[in-house]
Amino acid sequence: MRSAPFTLLLSAFLCAAGCSDSGDGDGGETTGSGGATGGTTSGGTTSGTPSGATTGSGEASASSGATTGSGDTTSASNGATSGSGGATSGSGTGGEGTGGSDGTGGGASARVPAASASTLREAGEKANPPLLIGAAISGGGLGNNDYKRVAAAEHNYVTAENEMKWDALEPSAGNFSWGSADNIVNWARQNNMKVKGHTLVWHSQLPGWMSSMTGKANVEAAMRRHITQVMGHFKDRLDHWDVVNEAVQTDSDTGVGNPRMRPTVFYNQIGESYIDLAFQIAREQDPKAKLYYNDYSIDARNDKVEFVYNMVKGMVDRGVPIDGVGFQMHIGPPNNEAGGADVAANMKRFTDLGLEVLISEMDINRCGGVVTAEEQLTYYHDIVAACFKEPKCTAVTFWGINDGRSWLNSWSGALCNGQSSQSLLFNDQYGKKETYNRVMNALLGK
Ligand code: XIL
């Protein structure tokens, strides 16, 4: 466990989970689009660049993590794989076939596990109510046959790791680029996997033209156009969306100290009502879609989740169309740690508001020796079990497939310095790790 002083020290230097823009290449993303404006209070400014540079390690790589050369550098060819992206037909395989676990479970009855299962996906599909088993998928990863095989065999729910972020979809104002995202969505549908759109409104990986925009009316209009165009493009293929991501910050990335709205271009120009507005616009686009708020270090009780709880409760009370909350569940440096019982109690408060909850980006970082191997195994089991036991917890998504491709490896905030974060369920050769077994046990109710 991380000690409190260490946490504070760490948090003084490190940047938020979402501010990494680490440019690991697999998303073909532009590196830290907001970075140029770092240090100001406008959007995108929480880019890791300025604070990363002050971590004292003095390493050049602290600037963006882009030079650390993880396995992801091999996947930088994402753009090249998008050649067939124009094929948007998707052939009607119906990602919906993943089992209707959209149902929020209703009632207080516990989820009933499958008697047995040979994949995580099967365990999720055979549970009653079913539980979606997700993974962050990168365009680069889909260039690797082992990656594709494991991803499709073990999961039935996909989040594009970078390809549906603002800078990927609308790199210049009003000009949309769909190829890389369509590739992932089409691959998912071919494999009967559902897709969650990630993410419509976020301060990070936001192109410079957007993060530097001024004027309430301008920002509102740009936000409306983006949400409308993006949801319109994927309509009939996607009905789950992270509408707003990481709108709240604290002094520490662990979710401790002075919780407040993050000063993004949206908040600075529109005010806090931008969040309600984003959900309202999304609802206008798709009356049936599941609309989620998503954030990190809100996984167990702390200052940040108190603030988020009150924010979300206010939305529910005002009738804002929000369906659920995604707990990113990035455990370990620089983010929070959370035990299973705490996660369960925290989820319950949100489900008591009538909302779904999701584990939306789970990984457990071993770098820096903050989380031990044994703790990691316990966390994986207990946290997934907390979701499994809560019928209104509708999905568990892991943030990647195998250790070698984890975003943490190349992000300076994660303390890996080029080492593997050992954070996921599959090793570099795509073999199952003990973390996989613990997750499987949790999904079988063991
Ligand atoms: C990360 C990706 O994994 C990296 O490849 C990218 O460089 C930065 O973003 N919170 C989120 C995700 O909502 O979109 C982030 O993904 C991780 C933190």
Side-chain angles (χ1 to χ4, degrees), residues 123-145:
E125 287 172 353
K126 284 186 175 168
N128 184 18
L131 177 67
L132 291 167
I133 307 296
I137 297 295
S138 67
L142 293 184
N144 179 300
N145 285 334

Side-chain angles (χ1 to χ4, degrees), residues 172-427:
S172 65
N175 292 316
F176 290 83
S177 166
W178 308 114
S180 302
D182 279 339
N183 272 352
I184 291 182
V185 172
N186 292 340
W187 174 82
R189 288 165 59 83
Q190 283 157 14
N191 289 284
N192 292 315
M193 303 162 92
K194 197 168 178 61
V195 182
K196 179 170 67 158
H198 174 80
T199 176
L200 293 169
V201 179
W202 189 28
H203 67 281
S204 191
Q205 292 174 270
L206 192 62
W209 64 267
M210 187 63 220
S211 56
S212 59
M213 189 176 283
T214 55
K216 182 172 193 272
N218 292 337
V219 174
E220 273 187 17
M223 187 172 87
R224 180 176 291 279
R225 177 179 60 196
H226 187 79
I227 295 174
T228 304
Q229 293 289 314
V230 172
M231 289 185 71
H233 179 80
F234 294 105
K235 197 150 191 180
D236 304 327
R237 292 185 288 163
L238 265 76
D239 60 2
H240 283 197
W241 290 94
D242 286 334
V243 178
V244 175
N245 197 30
E246 303 181 353
V248 175
Q249 67 179 16
T250 48
D251 291 345
S252 159
D253 286 333
T254 59
V256 175
N258 191 21
R260 57 200 184 273
M261 295 300 298
R262 186 186 296 279
T264 68
V265 66
F266 306 103
Y267 177 75
N268 291 344
Q269 301 297 322
I270 300 175
E272 190 169 346
S273 66
Y274 88 85
I275 298 178
D276 290 9
L277 183 61
F279 279 83
Q280 281 152 0
I281 296 169
R283 177 57 78 228
E284 284 166 24
Q285 292 313 304
D286 190 341
K288 295 212 184 92
K290 296 286 190 181
L291 305 179
Y292 302 123
Y293 176 76
N294 194 52
D295 213 330
Y296 65 91
S297 290
I298 58 167
D299 311 315
R301 295 294 284 272
N302 59 24
D303 297 338
K304 184 171 180 178
V305 81
E306 289 308 307
F307 190 95
V308 168
Y309 176 82
N310 288 326
M311 181 183 89
V312 166
K313 182 171 187 311
M315 294 169 72
V316 171
D317 290 346
R318 288 191 297 280
V320 175
I322 178 171
D323 295 289
V325 174
F327 302 91
Q328 289 187 5
M329 213 62 72
H330 293 294
I331 302 292
N335 297 314
N336 67 184
E337 293 182 40
D342 292 339
V343 169
N346 191 41
M347 283 180 170
K348 174 106 179 25
R349 301 173 77 213
F350 286 87
T351 59
D352 282 348
L353 294 175
L355 297 171
E356 278 179 45
V357 293
L358 303 81
I359 294 178
S360 57
E361 305 186 7
M362 188 170 193
D363 51 23
I364 304 183
N365 183 11
R366 295 263 316 277
C367 289
V370 178
V371 177
T372 67
E374 211 39 57
E375 284 170 345
Q376 186 193 45
L377 295 176
T378 303
Y379 283 149
Y380 258 123
H381 175 271
D382 292 0
I383 292 171
V384 173
C387 173
F388 188 83
K389 287 178 186 152
E390 169 53 70
K392 288 185 176 177
C393 186
T394 53
V396 178
T397 289
F398 302 98
W399 205 243
I401 302 292
N402 64 326
D403 287 348
R405 286 178 178 272
S406 166
W407 72 302
L408 295 165
N409 304 347
S410 57
W411 175 31
S412 59
L415 307 180
C416 292
N417 295 320
Q419 302 294 303
S420 171
S421 58
Q422 303 175 71
S423 54
L424 292 165
L425 308 188
F426 297 88
N427 64 26

Side-chain angles (χ1 to χ4, degrees), residues 98-111:
T98 50
S101 61
D102 282 346
T104 51
S109 61
R111 178 175 269 123

